[in-house]
Amino acid sequence: MDHVVHLMTTFGDYLPDGVNPIDYLPGAYHVYKNYYTPYEPYIRPVLRYFYYAQYYTYRYIFPYIYPVYRLANTLLAKALSDKPDLVALALLAIVLLISMKLLDMLRRSLMYWISFAVRIGFWLGVGLLGVYAYHRGLERSIEDLGWLLGYLGELESEGDRIGKTRAKRTAADARRVPKSGPNRGRSRGGGW
């Protein structure tokens, strides 16, 4: 809660006097209250991973990328400030072509590694199912498969029931919202 209050007080510094920042950020407060607080222990490792990735990027990769970025930025600024001539347009076309080739190579590499991981996962799963059937026996494995399919069917029906309940609740909430128009009137907390 302290994070949201700090955010809202910081945001409130830029608002006119007498304006409550909660009126402008009800979504942030709702997300913090309903999602961030109960799931914070689960979110913390993910955030830590992103922070470490950002740290390593700035510490080890950024020093090598920055000179290229700086050079390209100055060349581009110079090319945009002067009248474009044929050499500048040819240079821009070459840079565009090289960047497209690099992006294509990156896409191909990424797709290869993703498909490789999926294939490894599939064959690992097949192997684990084979080991499970070997240790458990064929008949007991088939019984376990029947139980698993029944359990998944129960979960599906429960999810369908919960989804219908939530849909009815959302429809009821939508009917309670006042209609827009000139006779709507303004009230505190009326929404956006």
Side-chain angles (χ1 to χ4, degrees):
M1 182 66 182
D2 296 334
H3 305 299
V4 172
V5 171
H6 174 68
L7 173 70
M8 291 188 183
T9 55
T10 305
F11 180 68
D13 294 342
Y14 302 103
L15 294 175
D17 291 335
V19 176
N20 188 1
I22 291 280
D23 294 338
Y24 286 92
L25 294 173
Y29 179 72
H30 173 74
V31 167
Y32 178 79
K33 188 175 93 177
N34 294 329
Y35 298 108
Y36 181 72
T37 304
Y39 298 114
E40 195 262 337
Y42 305 106
I43 295 172
R44 187 179 298 145
V46 175
L47 288 176
R48 186 178 303 128
Y49 170 76
F50 283 122
Y51 290 148
Y52 279 131
Q54 185 179 19
Y55 167 75
Y56 284 115
T57 300
Y58 283 132
R59 178 75 173 99
Y60 297 110
I61 297 173
F62 186 74
Y64 298 108
I65 294 176
Y66 183 74
V68 175
Y69 162 75
R70 184 71 180 197
L71 179 66
N73 194 16
T74 55
L75 288 176
L76 188 61
K78 184 179 177 187
L80 290 176
S81 64
D82 297 338
K83 283 186 169 181
D85 56 348
L86 192 57
V87 175
L89 292 177
L91 181 65
L92 188 61
I94 291 171
V95 167
L96 183 65
L97 182 68
I98 291 172
S99 65
M100 288 299 191
K101 289 289 186 183
L102 287 173
L103 286 174
D104 185 49
M105 287 191 302
L106 179 67
R107 181 191 60 86
R108 287 183 187 189
S109 173
L110 187 65
M111 291 308 295
Y112 168 76
W113 285 109
I114 289 174
S115 66
F116 180 71
V118 168
R119 276 187 267 141
I120 291 292
F122 174 76
W123 288 114
L124 190 65
V126 168
L128 288 175
L129 285 176
V131 169
Y132 179 78
Y134 176 76
H135 284 289
R136 189 88 167 137
L138 188 59
E139 291 181 12
R140 291 175 73 186
S141 298
I142 291 175
E143 289 175 6
D144 291 345
L145 180 64
W147 175 85
L148 180 64
L149 292 176
Y151 181 70
L152 290 176
E154 290 174 10
L155 286 180
E156 180 184 6
S157 63
E158 182 181 355
D160 189 36
R161 181 183 56 80
I162 291 172
K164 286 180 182 176
T165 305
R166 287 185 181 178
K168 287 179 185 177
R169 190 180 319 133
T170 303
D173 289 344
R175 283 192 296 273
R176 281 196 298 266
V177 172
K179 300 205 182 313
S180 62
N183 298 329
R184 176 177 168 208
R186 294 294 296 163
S187 64
R188 183 149 182 84
W192 293 12

